[in-house]
Amino acid sequence: MILIADSGSTKTDWRLLLPDGEIAQATTVGFNPNYQSAENIRTELQESLLPQLGNNQPTQIYFYGAGCSTEAKCSLVADAILNVFPGSHVQVMSDVVAAARGTCGHQAGIACILGTGSNSCLYNGEIITAQMPCLGFTLGNEGSGSYLGKKLLHLYLNHELPADLQEAFGKQYPATQAEILHRIYNEPFPNRYVASFALFLQGRQRHPFVAELLHQNFLDFFRLTVCKYPDYQMLPTHFVGSIAFYFADILRKTAKSQHIQVGRILQSPIAGLALYH
């Protein structure tokens, strides 16, 4: 049995490929070795994933995750998984590999992640051949939910949102400035917390201020990533992640302004990964 995981910083989608051809599904919180220890990941797997798998024990596990960009981080996650599934074959790869395999399959293209965080790569149909730096929550993540959340919070706390949005934001998120800053600077997973504010924009895309904010968000991402890949205008550019999925109309318009050919826009690459494996 093959178990596949697509893990972002907020949520992990799991697919278990059974011998009879059936596919079982499971969902857990997201895992990111930049913020979690092997012990923390192991505990979460035991408490949340195992009950959903029942008596099914995978022999091969392919884990694609946010933060799994170095050998050390991949080993941390692999050790946690092997502790829960001893004897299984475990391979840990970055979430950008998942995006490439899940959207491009075996065709060349550019694969992008726009979820809680952001990332991208140039893919030749078999391997990643180029990748722009991924600077994470503090220094990068253009195009992502956390990038949008930071901008929204900055505008709201400085009273720079239009009056109607300022009022609506305060009603939807009644936390004080002190409470917001405490969550960001003193509690775990500030990226998840900040990204959660991007939900405020859903259903408000037609507001001129929101439309421009989203346009600039995607424009920042394109200029710093996609537009730097050679021959980017000649290849399809695919997207996975909640931000790309829920704001697809503005994403497409912004991409068109940069002469970028938009391919697939998926909330998650997990279905494509199941086909790939």
Side-chain angles (χ1 to χ4, degrees), residues 1 17-23:
M1 279 183 283
L17 310 185
L18 300 167
D20 61 3
E22 293 295 314
I23 300 177

Side-chain angles (χ1 to χ4, degrees), residues 203-274:
R204 294 185 168 93
Q205 293 98 309
R206 293 188 178 182
H207 191 293
F209 188 89
V210 172
E212 181 60 22
L213 184 66
L214 289 166
H215 169 71
Q216 288 298 325
N217 179 55
F218 295 136
L219 198 59
D220 287 348
F221 175 76
F222 290 145
R223 287 176 174 170
L224 289 171
T225 57
V226 176
C227 293
K228 291 186 176 181
Y229 292 119
D231 300 322
Y232 74 92
Q233 295 174 336
M234 307 299 293
L235 293 168
T237 299
H238 308 287
F239 301 86
V240 299
S242 57
I243 298 301
F245 185 78
Y246 288 114
F247 304 116
D249 287 346
I250 295 176
L251 174 65
R252 289 183 186 278
K253 290 177 183 177
T254 307
K256 186 176 181 180
S257 74
Q258 301 301 302
H259 308 288
I260 293 169
Q261 302 177 40
V262 175
R264 299 179 180 88
I265 300 178
L266 307 174
Q267 190 169 7
S268 167
I270 193 67
L273 289 173

Side-chain angles (χ1 to χ4, degrees), residues 2-225:
I2 298 175
L3 180 64
I4 305 166
D6 171 54
S7 182
S9 293
T10 301
K11 183 184 73 167
T12 303
D13 289 319
W14 300 83
R15 294 292 184 273
L16 183 66
L17 310 185
L18 300 167
D20 61 3
E22 293 295 314
I23 300 177
Q25 304 181 20
T27 303
T28 65
V29 298
F31 302 103
N32 190 320
N34 288 323
Y35 303 106
Q36 292 164 286
S37 66
E39 178 65 18
N40 181 272
I41 295 172
R42 180 189 66 79
T43 300
E44 191 65 42
L45 290 173
Q46 288 178 326
E47 295 180 355
S48 299
L49 179 61
L50 284 181
Q52 297 183 66
L53 297 182
N55 295 323
N56 296 310
Q57 290 296 311
T59 55
Q60 300 177 58
I61 301 174
Y62 298 94
F63 184 97
Y64 300 88
C68 298
S69 55
T70 66
E71 185 176 344
K73 298 299 184 183
C74 290
S75 294
L76 184 151
V77 175
D79 289 345
I81 295 172
L82 281 168
N83 194 284
V84 179
F85 300 101
S88 60
H89 168 77
V90 177
Q91 189 172 355
V92 178
M93 294 157 281
S94 73
D95 54 353
V96 76
V97 177
R101 290 180 173 180
T103 59
C104 299
H106 294 286
Q107 303 297 316
I110 297 170
C112 305
I113 299 171
L114 295 177
T116 300
S118 65
N119 210 333
S120 68
C121 73
L122 181 64
Y123 183 71
N124 69 1
E126 294 298 329
I127 61 171
I128 292 173
T129 57
Q131 188 172 1
M132 291 298 111
C134 179
L135 302 181
F137 171 63
T138 303
L139 295 179
N141 271 357
E142 295 83 7
S144 72
S146 62
Y147 192 74
L148 280 169
K150 282 191 289 187
K151 285 187 173 294
L152 270 173
L153 284 172
H154 185 271
L155 291 165
Y156 172 70
L157 294 175
N158 284 291
H159 300 278
E160 293 184 353
L161 287 172
D164 56 334
L165 295 178
Q166 186 80 16
E167 181 182 2
F169 192 91
K171 288 182 178 179
Q172 188 166 335
Y173 305 104
T176 66
Q177 176 178 317
E179 290 169 337
I180 291 171
L181 295 179
H182 177 80
R183 284 291 305 272
I184 293 172
Y185 292 109
N186 296 286
E187 295 192 13
F189 307 110
N191 57 332
R192 289 184 192 172
Y193 175 67
V194 171
S196 69
F197 291 99
L199 294 172
F200 176 77
L201 302 176
Q202 278 188 248
R204 294 185 168 93
Q205 293 98 309
R206 293 188 178 182
H207 191 293
F209 188 89
V210 172
E212 181 60 22
L213 184 66
L214 289 166
H215 169 71
Q216 288 298 325
N217 179 55
F218 295 136
L219 198 59
D220 287 348
F221 175 76
F222 290 145
R223 287 176 174 170
L224 289 171
T225 57

